[in-house]
Amino acid sequence: MDDRQFRNAMGKFATGVTVVATEVDGSVHGMTANAFMSVSLNPKLVVVSISEKAQMLDKINQSGKFSVNILSSSQQDLSMHFAGQQKNHQEVKFDLVGGIPVLPGSVAQIACEVTAAHIEGDHTLFIGKVTDLQIEDLEPLIYFSGKYRSLIEE
């Protein structure tokens, strides 16, 4: 199989959309990611997968902490901003949860401390111990087959 075929197959898995954020030397950095999942309930652990080419890799290694912001259906512009898909510079406001920058208006804001990092292929898997979180009753932003979607209850 070629790379495009593999990517197309992986795109058939509908996911939520997240922005992973961290702070280094007073500057907040973020990136859009859909490679996120919960790992354990006790202790409460999550994992994010960051490409070796992503600037965020060094930022998380430096800070030792990150947030996962599960985006709401009204935050597609933020997803595109942090994926580098917008040419216009957008001022982004962050709040803090557990001392870690988070995006207001997200479905969930999950603050984590890195407990382990595993290099696998061309990505690093960061295991994060959840230190704090906030949840809002909002509709999530969905990504499927290369397009943003919305979740509609029937």
Side-chain angles (χ1 to χ4, degrees):
M1 84 199 83
D2 65 14
D3 290 352
R4 175 63 13 211
Q5 184 183 21
F6 180 77
R7 287 181 63 99
N8 288 345
M10 296 304 101
K12 296 300 182 187
F13 182 63
T15 65
V17 181
T18 73
V19 168
V20 176
T22 194
E23 185 174 3
V24 176
D25 298 329
S27 294
V28 178
H29 306 272
M31 69 167 275
T32 300
N34 66 352
F36 157 75
M37 69 177 200
S38 64
V39 174
S40 170
L41 184 59
N42 189 19
K44 292 167 183 58
L45 301 173
V46 298
V47 64
V48 293
S49 178
I50 308 293
S51 171
E52 67 185 13
K53 296 176 184 175
Q55 295 176 4
M56 183 59 79
L57 183 66
D58 288 336
K59 304 301 183 192
I60 293 175
N61 277 323
Q62 289 175 47
S63 70
K65 57 189 175 182
F66 61 90
S67 68
V68 177
N69 301 272
I70 301 173
L71 299 185
S72 69
S73 59
S74 67
Q75 293 179 307
Q76 180 177 328
D77 61 327
L78 288 174
S79 172
M80 294 173 71
H81 172 79
F82 287 107
Q85 296 174 339
Q86 288 183 331
K87 296 192 188 322
N88 302 351
H89 176 71
Q90 178 180 355
E91 187 68 32
V92 178
K93 179 183 179 283
F94 288 90
D95 289 339
L96 293 176
V97 168
I100 300 173
V102 297
L103 289 169
S106 298
V107 172
Q109 304 159 330
I110 306 162
C112 303
E113 293 176 355
V114 174
T115 60
H118 303 278
I119 298 171
E120 297 295 337
D122 58 4
H123 280 63
T124 296
L125 306 177
F126 287 102
I127 307 296
K129 178 182 177 187
V130 177
T131 57
D132 203 351
L133 58 80
Q134 290 187 3
I135 302 169
E136 298 291 334
D137 188 20
L138 300 167
E139 290 297 316
L141 182 61
I142 304 295
Y143 200 73
F144 174 74
S145 201
K147 296 180 182 173
Y148 291 100
R149 312 287 176 126
S150 62
L151 184 63
I152 299 170
E153 291 184 17
E154 295 185 23

